[in-house]
Amino acid sequence: MNSFNRSDRLGNQLHREIGNVIHFEITDPRLQFVTVTEVRLARNLKDATVFIAVMGDDRDEVFARLVHAGTFIRKRTAERCSIKFMPRLNFKLDLSRER
């Protein structure tokens, strides 16, 4: 039960901080239309799936730019979080709003 709470807290913290990095630290104006909708952590906390919603017509290009900035996002998020190991970030498009 304790690991579930830790995973949940870490997921919430990553959700908040990844969103802050994207909106306040990346200068590409196209990435301002990106929203982090959910972060799911693997059981071992080494991988995080970051679900992203993109507004606009050029969704694929914006998503590609976000993935390209993934290393920067991970590094800046790690600096903001007080965790021993920063999970790898795997970005996925959240298409649930289109359904």
Side-chain angles (χ1 to χ4, degrees):
M1 181 107 148
N2 192 11
S3 65
F4 174 75
N5 291 334
R6 179 173 180 232
S7 174
D8 213 25
R9 284 192 313 267
L10 179 57
N12 288 334
Q13 183 180 17
L14 289 175
H15 183 264
R16 183 176 53 253
E17 296 302 340
I18 291 168
N20 287 336
V21 169
I22 291 170
H23 287 281
F24 300 116
E25 297 190 32
I26 295 180
T27 57
D28 189 336
R30 289 170 283 211
L31 294 183
Q32 298 307 307
F33 298 105
V34 168
T35 303
V36 177
T37 58
E38 184 180 1
V39 175
R40 289 186 194 160
L41 285 164
R43 286 184 185 243
N44 62 8
L45 304 180
K46 292 186 178 184
D47 291 291
T49 303
V50 182
F51 290 90
I52 301 294
V54 179
M55 293 189 316
D57 296 330
D58 53 351
R59 178 180 60 208
D60 293 334
E61 181 183 342
V62 171
F63 184 75
R65 289 183 178 277
L66 180 72
V67 170
H68 181 72
T71 302
F72 174 80
I73 295 168
R74 182 175 186 247
K75 180 179 179 237
R76 297 298 293 164
T77 302
E79 292 170 0
R80 293 167 160 256
C81 297
S82 56
I83 55 177
K84 189 173 184 177
F85 179 80
M86 179 65 189
R88 287 182 294 262
L89 303 179
N90 303 303
F91 295 99
K92 292 199 182 239
L93 279 174
D94 184 351
L95 302 175
S96 63
R97 294 181 185 198
E98 292 181 6
R99 291 185 208 138

